[in-house]
Amino acid sequence: VLAWNTTLSSHLRHGDLREATELFRQIPDTRKNVVTYNTMITGYAQAGQLHLAWQIFDAAPKHSIVSFNAILSGCAMHGDLQSAASLFHRMPAWNTVSSTAMIRVLSSRGRIEEARDVFDSMAEHDSISWGTMIHGYLQSGNLHVARDLFHRLPHKTVTSWTTIMSGHGDRGDMEAAAAIFAAMPEHSLVTCNALIAAYARAGQVDEAKRVFAAMPERSVASCNTIVAAMCGAGEVDEAETVIASMPVVDVISSTAIMSGYARAGHLDRAKSLFDSIPEKNRVSWTAILSATVELGNVEEAKCLFDQMPELDVVAVTALIAAYARAGHIDPALELFLAIPDPDDVSWLAIIHALVENGQIAAARGMLELMPDRSND
RNA sequence: UUCCCGUACUAGGAAU
C-alpha cells in the first residue's frame, strides 16, 4: 500500500489527475487504506472536482480528519465559502489544518473579522496559521495589523518574512520591502521572485532585473516574473531573450509574452502566439479576448468568447466592458445577470457601463443591489 | 529517518 500511495501522490504532484485516477482504479479495494482514499480526495478537491472528491469520500470505508480537511481545503482553494463553511461546521473535529483552511477562505472573501475569530479560537497556532492570518490582513489592506501580528510571531519562517515583505511592496513601499529583504535571515527562490514582482508592480523594472540577475538559481516562475515585468515596461524584445534562454516554458510564460505583444500593439503576433499555445487555459483565452476588445472589435471578441471552452467571471466582465464601450448596454446587462456569483470588479463594470450610457437610475439600483461584503 | 490535508512568488477583466 505504501508504494501505491507514494506513486499516487507523485502523479498528483505532477498534476497528472488522469494517471492518478487510473492507478486508483487498479488498486483493489481491499488493499486501499485511508491514506489511499485521502490522497485521491485531495487530487479531485484541488482540481475543483468537488463532486468526484465527495464520491471518493463516500466510497471510503473509514474517514480521518485528513479526509475532511482535504475537501475543506479544496473548497478554500477555490474560494467556495459556502461549502467550506457548512463542511467546517459539520466536521467531527478540527485541527490547525482545518482552521487554517477556514481562515484562508474567509479572508479571501473579505470576511477578515470572522477569519480572526477562527484564529483566536484555535487551541494552538503554528507558523502556517500565523502566516495565513497575516496574509489575510494584507489582502484586506490592513498593513498595520499584519505587521503587528508579524512582530508577535514567535518563530518567523522564510515564508512569513516573504509574506510581510510582499505586503509592503503591494502598498508601494519598496524601501521598506527592500529593507525587509535585507533583514531576513535567509532567502528562498520564492522570496526573490516576490521581490522581483514587487519591483515590477512599483514600476522599477531595472531593480527587478538586478535582483533577477543576482539570483543563484531560478525557477520557471522566476523567469515568468521577469518576463511579465519587461512586458509591462514595453520591453518585449528583451523579454523574448529571457524566454529563449529558458530550459522549459509553461502556459504562464506564453500568456505573458503574448499579452506583451498585444499591449505593444502587435495583435497579429499575439494571435499567432495564442494559436501556438498547446495548453491554453481560461487566462490565455481572456488575454487574447481583451486584446481584441482593446482594438474595439466587439464582433470578433464575441466570436472568441463563444469559442471559449470554459468561462469565468473575468472573461464575462471583459466582454461586458466591450459591449458597454460600444454603447450596447442590453447584451452587457444580459451577460451580467447570467453571472452566478458576480465579484466587485464585475459589479463596478456594469454600474460604470450603465452610467456611461446615461442610465443613471438603473446604475443607482445596481449600486444598492451590490452586496457590501465588508459589513456582513 | 517515517504514504494523505492548511501559509509566501509569476500570465487575463472594471474603474482610478
Side-chain angles (χ1 to χ4, degrees):
Chain A
V1 215
L2 214 146
W4 273 325
N5 291 343
T6 310
T7 315
L8 198 57
S9 56
S10 137
H11 287 316
L12 292 173
R13 252 194 300 279
H14 294 96
D16 204 339
L17 191 56
R18 283 196 61 84
E19 199 67 38
T21 306
E22 196 55 40
L23 176 59
F24 185 79
R25 280 216 189 96
Q26 280 166 14
I27 307 173
D29 282 355
T30 50
R31 308 296 299 275
K32 290 171 181 155
N33 65 13
V34 68
V35 174
T36 321
Y37 285 100
N38 289 345
T39 307
M40 205 58 223
I41 293 172
T42 305
Y44 284 129
Q46 294 194 347
Q49 310 263 29
L50 274 192
H51 188 71
L52 293 173
W54 275 117
Q55 249 176 39
I56 305 293
F57 185 97
D58 291 334
K62 263 182 80 161
H63 301 133
S64 66
I65 191 163
V66 174
S67 330
F68 289 93
N69 286 343
I71 298 206
L72 182 67
S73 316
C75 301
M77 185 178 291
H78 292 89
D80 186 350
L81 176 58
Q82 292 249 319
S83 315
S86 89
L87 176 56
F88 188 69
H89 290 109
R90 284 191 333 243
M91 299 173 53
W94 301 328
N95 61 14
T96 52
V97 174
S98 339
S99 303
T100 303
M102 204 56 214
I103 291 172
R104 174 182 153 99
V105 68
L106 281 168
S107 58
S108 75
R109 305 293 299 199
R111 312 287 195 96
I112 189 68
E113 300 298 337
E114 288 156 79
R116 181 56 184 264
D117 290 342
V118 174
F119 184 80
D120 287 338
S121 70
M122 291 171 68
E124 50 183 33
H125 301 106
D126 59 13
S127 69
I128 299 187
S129 48
W130 278 93
T132 307
M133 194 66 246
I134 292 171
H135 190 235
Y137 277 113
L138 291 172
Q139 281 180 317
S140 73
N142 209 330
L143 182 59
H144 284 96
V145 182
R147 193 198 272 147
D148 182 55
L149 278 183
F150 179 75
H151 285 123
R152 286 166 42 200
L153 174 55
H155 301 291
K156 299 173 176 52
T157 62
V158 84
T159 299
S160 46
W161 278 100
T162 304
T163 304
I164 200 73
M165 179 191 79
S166 292
H168 284 81
D170 286 339
R171 298 277 293 227
D173 190 350
M174 284 313 299
E175 296 217 341
I180 293 168
F181 185 80
M184 332 177 20
E186 55 168 337
H187 302 143
S188 70
L189 247 178
V190 172
T191 313
C192 298
N193 297 348
L195 185 62
I196 295 173
Y199 275 125
R201 261 179 257 123
Q204 305 185 33
V205 201
D206 291 337
E207 287 301 305
K209 287 182 198 168
R210 196 181 50 70
V211 178
F212 182 75
M215 286 175 74
E217 265 193 312
R218 300 176 185 120
S219 63
V220 180
S222 323
C223 298
N224 291 344
T225 308
I226 199 68
V227 164
M230 289 166 171
C231 288
E235 302 168 351
V236 188
D237 291 341
E238 201 174 347
E240 279 284 18
T241 68
V242 176
I243 295 264
S245 75
M246 292 170 66
V248 283
V249 296
D250 61 13
V251 64
I252 299 185
S253 335
S254 315
T255 306
I257 194 84
M258 180 188 87
S259 307
Y261 278 113
R263 260 178 278 152
H266 303 295
L267 188 61
D268 43 344
R269 182 86 185 93
K271 275 183 186 160
S272 60
L273 262 167
F274 176 75
D275 291 331
S276 72
I277 303 178
E279 69 289 54
K280 301 179 194 42
N281 61 16
R282 292 199 313 269
V283 178
S284 340
W285 275 97
T286 311
I288 198 70
L289 174 75
S290 64
T292 308
V293 166
E294 211 53 44
L295 278 133
N297 201 335
V298 192
E299 296 305 320
E300 199 180 333
K302 173 72 167 80
C303 185
L304 275 167
F305 184 83
D306 290 334
Q307 287 172 260
M308 288 181 67
E310 45 175 354
L311 293 173
D312 64 9
V313 63
V314 177
V316 178
T317 306
L319 192 62
I320 288 177
Y323 276 129
R325 254 175 263 164
H328 302 159
I329 194 68
D330 289 339
L333 259 177
E334 203 174 303
L335 278 169
F336 178 79
L337 295 172
I339 304 177
D341 189 14
D343 64 5
D344 290 353
V345 174
S346 51
W347 276 102
L348 292 176
I350 194 66
I351 291 169
H352 184 256
L354 288 166
V355 170
E356 286 296 297
N357 285 271
Q359 307 204 16
I360 309 295
R364 213 184 286 279
M366 279 291 185
L367 199 55
E368 272 173 26
L369 284 172
M370 185 173 166
D372 183 357
R373 289 175 227 273
S374 61
N375 281 339
D376 70 351

